[in-house]
């Protein structure tokens, strides 16, 4: 037999082997498949071709499959997921059978930059982190410190920047403004140090850019086979090169802050209450609680930064886009503030409400909830099953099964929110008696559910309402004509091209 004959025979054998493997995989794995599975590439081609509209596309696909289905990744990549947006399944996994569904080693490897912090930890390390942060967040001194920090940042930075933009009449990326504002805030709250990213000259800050880059690279790890990003990491090319550079910048910054804080604390006597009250940032509090190694502190700081910076930026950006494009909602928010407080500008804090005052703004709270329903800052979550189980939807879960649930899609389910689920309608959150309507956390999933419910939920609402009330009371935000808002591809749901607006002072 000549070379051509050998090649033809080899090709036929290979094709037959692929067909056998394909049929075998189909019998084992394709229970309610979300897409057509192709040999070798699995279902990944569908995702890659629709990556530009990933969130909306996944919503449509899951609705066609009753809310739950299987995604089969490329062969031999362990990218297989049971994907669900069924609230009963989430309630089962996040609450009823919480201990059976963990983050898992695969998740920790993808989110390597988070270290062993609260977002990636399981079991006892997670419980220790949660109990520690819970004790810090619930202190009255911390709430006072948070309020003081926000008031100070609004007066020193936000007002000058917004006034300058009004005077210039120029277009600005409001998401960038919020990004800088929340970055300065989280630096002050966690580290006790304000880097002044938000100023009229909009300076470049390497550490702020490094956080954005790291999050985009982490999303990349979610959508390509592990072997691809592992090879890129080994060769230091593509996204993994950017990841390495971003993490190096972040670690240098965080470790420098830890060293500086240790030096500062060595100058104070722990039993002097006045000094303790002056240093209630979270890093100081962590160091005073007990002796922690630098790695623990580094991971804690990184996780707190992601939790308190990008999520608030995302929430405020989508909220202002929705309000700016729904003038009736804006009018109702302004009317509520006027009814509750009259002329807010007569306040000594330049119209910035305090913690107790923002709790009275029911309609504003409903508008923020509605924004979070449609655009949750964290658009997807993953879990891994420790033991075999059966979900309420009837789907069988084997030990080691990876589960993906899509928060973005859940806000667009008619069975939960009604036929008007795509509308921005704050009224759905307000009862006939004028209070906030309670929605179970496994349906309104923006702050997670069960034992892992976000510890900073109340603090997040306080920050968002303080900032939103101040800006809406003093300025009018107008979206630039022709601007199209689109979600970014990242682990945090930011706007792809920012939020382009013009800022004008509101006439009183």
């Amino acid at each position: 037999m000549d070379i051509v004959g050998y090649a033809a025979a080899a090709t036929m054998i290979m094709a037959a082997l692929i067909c056998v493997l394909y049929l075998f995989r189909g019998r084992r794995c394709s229970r309610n498949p979300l897409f057509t599975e192709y040999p070798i590439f699995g279902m990944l081609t569908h995702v890659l071709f629709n990556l530009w509209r990933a969130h909306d596309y996944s919503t449509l696909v899951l609705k066609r499959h009753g809310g739950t289905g299987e995604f089969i990744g490329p062969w031999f990549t362990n990218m297989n997921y049971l994907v669900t947006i069924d609230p009963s399944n989430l309630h089962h996994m996040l609450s009823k059978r919480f201990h059976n569904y963990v983050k898992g080693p695969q998740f920790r490897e993808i989110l390597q930059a988070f270290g062993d912090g609260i977002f990636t930890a399981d079991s006892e390390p997670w419980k220790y982190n949660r109990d520690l942060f819970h004790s810090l967040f619930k202190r009255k001194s911390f709430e006072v410190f948070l309020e003081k920090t926000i008031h100070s940042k609004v007066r020193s930075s936000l007002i000058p920047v917004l006034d300058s933009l009004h005077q210039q009449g120029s277009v600005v990326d409001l998401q960038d403004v919020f990004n800088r504002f929340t970055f300065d805030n989280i630096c002050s709250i966690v580290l006790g140090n304000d880097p002044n990213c938000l100023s009229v000259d909009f300076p470049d800050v390497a550490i702020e850019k490094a956080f954005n880059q790291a999050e985009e690279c982490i999303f990349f790890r979610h959508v390509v086979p592990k072997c691809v990003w592992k090879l890129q990491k080994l060769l230091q090319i593509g996204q993994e090169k950017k990841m390495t550079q971003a993490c190096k910048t972040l670690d240098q910054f965080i470790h420098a802050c830890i060293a500086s804080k240790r030096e500062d604390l060595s100058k104070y006597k722990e039993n002097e209450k006045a000094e303790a009250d002056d240093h209630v940032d979270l890093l100081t509090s962590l160091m005073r609680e007990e002796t922690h190694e630098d790695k623990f502190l580094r991971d804690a700081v990184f996780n707190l930064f992601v939790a308190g910076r990008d999520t608030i930026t995302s929430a405020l950006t989508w909220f202002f886009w929705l309000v700016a494009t729904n003038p009736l909602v804006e009018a109702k928010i302004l009317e509520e503030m006027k009814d509750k407080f009259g002329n807010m500008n007569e306040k000594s804090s330049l119209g910035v409400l305090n913690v107790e005052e923002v709790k009275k703004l029911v309609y504003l709270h409903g508008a923020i909830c509605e924004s979070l329903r449609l655009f949750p800052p964290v658009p997807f979550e993953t879990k891994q099953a420790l033991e075999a189980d059966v979900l309420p939807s009837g789907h069988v879960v084997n030990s080691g099964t990876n589960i993906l649930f899509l928060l973005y899609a859940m806000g667009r389910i008619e069975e939960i929110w009604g036929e008007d689920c795509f509308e921005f309608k704050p009224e759905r959150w307000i009862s006939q008696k004028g209070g906030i309507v309670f929605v179970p956390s496994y349906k309104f999933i923006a702050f997670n559910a069960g034992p892992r419910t976000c510890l900073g939920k109340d603090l997040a609402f306080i920050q968002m309402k303080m900032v939103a009330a101040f800006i809406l009371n003093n300025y009018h935000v107008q979206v630039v004509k022709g601007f199209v808002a689109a979600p970014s591809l990242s682990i945090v749901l930011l706007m792809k091209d920012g939020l382009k607006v013009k800022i004008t002072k509101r006439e009183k």
Side-chain angles (χ1 to χ4, degrees), residues 45-339:
T45 51
H46 296 276
V47 175
L48 296 178
F49 281 130
N50 292 278
L51 199 58
W52 61 277
R53 55 167 187 152
H55 301 295
D56 291 313
Y57 181 63
S58 59
T59 301
L60 292 172
V61 171
L62 281 163
K63 283 185 176 182
R64 288 201 299 262
H65 288 78
T68 305
E70 289 192 88
F71 173 84
I72 310 300
W75 293 8
F76 314 115
T77 62
N78 195 29
M79 284 185 71
N80 302 340
Y81 288 91
L82 180 66
V83 188
T84 186
I85 56 173
D86 186 328
S88 62
N89 287 344
L90 267 69
H91 187 42
H92 179 85
M93 291 185 290
L94 300 179
S95 296
K96 292 182 177 180
R97 292 273 288 155
F98 168 74
H99 293 292
N100 189 49
Y101 295 92
V102 298
K103 292 293 186 179
Q106 181 177 327
F107 180 81
R108 281 190 285 277
E109 190 171 24
I110 291 174
L111 271 74
Q112 182 183 0
F114 284 71
D116 299 320
I118 190 170
F119 285 144
T120 58
D122 285 315
S123 125
E124 288 304 315
W126 165 77
K127 189 176 185 304
Y128 175 80
N129 273 273
R130 187 172 180 85
D131 290 344
L132 179 59
F133 289 137
H134 183 265
S135 68
L136 297 179
F137 290 164
K138 291 301 180 182
R139 293 176 182 175
K140 182 63 178 178
S141 60
F142 179 69
E143 186 178 278
V144 172
F145 176 61
L146 177 70
E147 179 183 300
K148 180 181 177 182
T149 299
I150 296 173
H151 279 216
S152 174
K153 195 65 202 172
V154 169
R155 287 194 296 268
S156 65
S157 299
L158 191 58
I159 291 176
V161 167
L162 295 180
D163 283 351
S164 174
L165 293 170
H166 161 73
Q167 293 168 5
Q168 295 172 12
S170 55
V171 173
V172 67
D173 177 2
L174 191 58
Q175 180 170 262
D176 185 37
V177 172
F178 290 143
N179 214 14
R180 293 168 179 274
F181 179 85
T182 56
F183 184 74
D184 286 349
N185 259 348
I186 201 65
C187 282
S188 298
I189 292 167
V190 175
L191 304 172
N193 177 45
D194 184 351
N196 292 311
C197 287
L198 182 62
S199 63
V200 292
D201 56 346
F202 287 84
D204 284 333
V205 179
I207 183 66
E208 192 259 348
K209 287 187 174 181
F211 270 104
N212 294 339
Q213 186 62 66
E215 286 164 2
E216 290 177 7
C217 294
I218 289 171
F219 182 85
F220 175 79
R221 287 184 175 186
H222 276 91
V223 298
V224 300
K226 178 180 176 180
C227 59
V228 173
W229 65 261
K230 279 281 190 180
L231 180 61
Q232 287 194 352
K233 183 178 181 181
L234 178 65
L235 300 177
Q236 281 300 289
I237 59 174
Q239 290 289 333
E240 287 301 312
K241 180 180 180 180
K242 296 177 182 178
M243 182 73 159
T244 300
Q245 293 170 341
C247 287
K248 182 179 180 181
T249 300
L250 293 171
D251 286 347
Q252 288 176 344
F253 170 75
I254 294 173
H255 283 295
C257 290
I258 292 170
S260 176
K261 186 67 67 176
R262 285 197 189 281
E263 185 177 349
D264 289 343
L265 288 176
S266 66
K267 300 176 183 177
Y268 301 111
K269 295 180 180 178
E270 297 260 351
N271 60 351
E272 293 185 15
K273 184 178 184 302
E275 290 173 354
D277 289 342
D278 286 340
H279 298 82
V280 291
D281 60 85
L282 291 173
L283 181 56
T284 298
S285 298
L286 283 171
M287 288 182 167
R288 282 197 167 120
E289 285 294 313
E290 57 182 278
T291 303
H292 293 292
E293 295 181 354
D294 282 4
K295 184 183 184 306
F296 176 89
L297 295 172
R298 179 266 172 210
D299 294 345
V301 168
F302 188 95
N303 282 254
L304 288 168
F305 262 77
V306 175
R309 167 186 173 259
D310 300 299
T311 53
I312 300 295
T313 296
S314 169
L316 285 173
T317 300
W318 289 106
F319 169 80
F320 271 92
W321 176 71
L322 288 166
V323 170
T325 52
N326 290 271
L328 289 178
V329 172
E330 181 181 34
K332 289 182 180 180
I333 294 174
L334 293 172
E335 182 181 0
E336 179 182 54
M337 290 192 292
K338 185 176 180 182
D339 289 344

Side-chain angles (χ1 to χ4, degrees), residues 56 318 321 375 479 482-488 494-499:
D56 291 313
W318 289 106
W321 176 71
F375 299 101
V479 177
F483 172 80
V484 178
S488 64
L494 297 169
M495 281 192 184
K496 179 181 178 183
D497 301 310
L499 176 55

Side-chain angles (χ1 to χ4, degrees), residues 334 343-345 470 472-475 505-508:
L334 293 172
N343 186 353
M344 288 168 52
N345 284 16
F470 168 76
L472 289 173
N473 179 64
N474 291 280
Y475 303 92
K505 271 196 171 182
R506 196 177 293 280
E507 294 183 4
K508 300 297 181 179

Side-chain angles (χ1 to χ4, degrees), residues 259-483:
S260 176
K261 186 67 67 176
R262 285 197 189 281
E263 185 177 349
D264 289 343
L265 288 176
S266 66
K267 300 176 183 177
Y268 301 111
K269 295 180 180 178
E270 297 260 351
N271 60 351
E272 293 185 15
K273 184 178 184 302
E275 290 173 354
D277 289 342
D278 286 340
H279 298 82
V280 291
D281 60 85
L282 291 173
L283 181 56
T284 298
S285 298
L286 283 171
M287 288 182 167
R288 282 197 167 120
E289 285 294 313
E290 57 182 278
T291 303
H292 293 292
E293 295 181 354
D294 282 4
K295 184 183 184 306
F296 176 89
L297 295 172
R298 179 266 172 210
D299 294 345
V301 168
F302 188 95
N303 282 254
L304 288 168
F305 262 77
V306 175
R309 167 186 173 259
D310 300 299
T311 53
I312 300 295
T313 296
S314 169
L316 285 173
T317 300
W318 289 106
F319 169 80
F320 271 92
W321 176 71
L322 288 166
V323 170
T325 52
N326 290 271
L328 289 178
V329 172
E330 181 181 34
K332 289 182 180 180
I333 294 174
L334 293 172
E335 182 181 0
E336 179 182 54
M337 290 192 292
K338 185 176 180 182
D339 289 344
K340 296 287 185 182
F341 308 113
N343 186 353
M344 288 168 52
N345 284 16
E346 293 177 354
K347 295 171 64 65
S348 59
S349 56
L350 297 176
V352 187
L353 300 177
N354 61 37
V355 171
E356 294 306 316
E357 287 169 333
V358 296
K359 292 178 181 178
K360 299 176 182 178
L361 297 174
V362 175
Y363 191 84
L364 176 60
H365 187 96
I368 292 175
C369 287
E370 184 71 343
S371 176
L372 291 170
R373 175 183 74 85
L374 289 168
F375 299 101
V378 180
F380 61 90
E381 286 270 4
T382 62
K383 292 286 185 182
Q384 187 177 70
L386 293 177
E387 300 175 356
D389 194 12
V390 179
L391 299 181
S393 62
H395 291 80
V396 176
V397 174
N398 297 318
S399 174
T401 296
N402 295 314
I403 300 165
L404 178 68
F405 48 93
L406 306 180
L407 286 65
Y408 179 94
M410 287 193 67
R412 290 157 171 77
I413 301 177
E414 290 86 348
E415 288 77 9
I416 299 178
W417 306 105
E419 294 182 356
D420 60 352
C421 63
F422 288 91
E423 296 180 25
F424 178 56
K425 191 177 178 181
E427 287 78 9
R428 78 173 79 243
W429 293 91
I430 301 171
S431 69
Q432 292 182 347
K433 294 182 179 181
I436 294 295
V437 172
F438 170 76
V439 177
S441 56
Y442 55 88
K443 294 182 179 180
F444 177 52
I445 195 73
F447 293 96
N448 215 317
R452 277 192 180 263
T453 297
C454 177
L455 284 171
K457 177 180 177 180
D458 293 337
L459 300 175
F461 271 115
I462 287 171
Q463 293 181 69
M464 289 186 286
K465 287 195 278 189
M466 289 174 74
V467 174
F470 168 76
I471 293 177
L472 289 173
N473 179 64
N474 291 280
Y475 303 92
H476 175 64
V477 177
Q478 181 181 2
V479 177
V480 172
K481 187 176 181 179
F483 172 80

